[in-house]
Amino acid sequence: MTTTPNQDLYWNSPGALRTSDQLPAFQCWALATTQTTGRLGFFRDGLLDIFPVNYFVLDDHVYFRTSADGTIATSSLDHAAFQIDHVSTDSSDGWTILLNGPVTRVKDSALLTILWGKVVNEAWSPGQHELFFSLVPTHVRGRRVGTAH
């Protein structure tokens, strides 16, 4: 196979035609508001569990609902991760956000009134999702990826 000088420049550099830029926290939060589904990860019984959940962002907190007897509500969530992504296969670009921190059940009645007033997509799993949980991140990280121009 014959290569041109430009092809030679990138031939031995995997990913050289790709870009990857860190996102500041404020941009991570702005992007997080554009999606409605994320993945909650946490350890349970020595294994890493990851569940898709519908969520929304309010005041730099992630909120989602779950059932009282489900895996999420009955697990220790002191150290959790929440990932949100957007990928465009047509343009080969996207972004990912990873939030780390504790997840706790929301019990404040005034806050619950506000949360129940928010429109939330139907839950992924069956059953009643009567409990709100909140992730208050201690770490906010994000990255945008795309093609080099």
Side-chain angles (χ1 to χ4, degrees):
M1 177 172 132
T2 305
T3 60
T4 67
N6 273 351
Q7 288 173 317
D8 287 339
L9 180 64
Y10 298 110
W11 186 256
N12 291 319
S13 302
L17 297 176
R18 309 290 302 152
T19 62
S20 178
D21 300 305
Q22 290 184 6
L23 297 171
F26 76 89
Q27 197 168 17
C28 291
W29 283 114
L31 290 170
T33 64
T34 68
Q35 303 297 307
T36 58
T37 303
R39 288 173 301 286
L40 177 68
F42 55 93
F43 283 100
R44 182 175 63 97
D45 298 330
L47 299 173
L48 177 62
D49 279 346
I50 301 173
F51 290 86
V53 295
N54 291 317
Y55 76 95
F56 61 91
V57 172
L58 179 65
D59 298 329
D60 293 349
H61 291 57
V62 172
Y63 292 97
F64 61 91
R65 291 187 349 228
T66 191
S67 60
D69 59 351
T71 301
I72 293 172
T74 59
S75 295
S76 173
L77 302 172
D78 293 337
H79 303 284
F82 196 81
Q83 185 177 23
I84 308 158
D85 300 308
H86 173 72
V87 176
S88 173
T89 55
D90 293 337
S91 59
S92 297
D93 64 7
W95 51 263
T96 185
I97 296 167
L98 184 62
L99 309 170
N100 296 95
V103 173
T104 57
R105 182 176 167 194
V106 177
K107 296 180 181 180
D108 178 86
S109 59
L111 179 56
L112 285 169
T113 299
I114 293 168
L115 298 179
W116 279 110
K118 297 286 183 185
V119 175
V120 179
N121 289 344
E122 186 64 29
W124 284 73
S125 59
Q128 296 294 319
H129 297 85
E130 65 275 13
L131 301 181
F132 267 103
F133 280 76
S134 170
L135 181 133
V136 182
T138 56
H139 293 85
V140 176
R141 297 173 285 165
R143 185 162 293 281
R144 183 182 303 277
V145 295
T147 54
H149 297 283

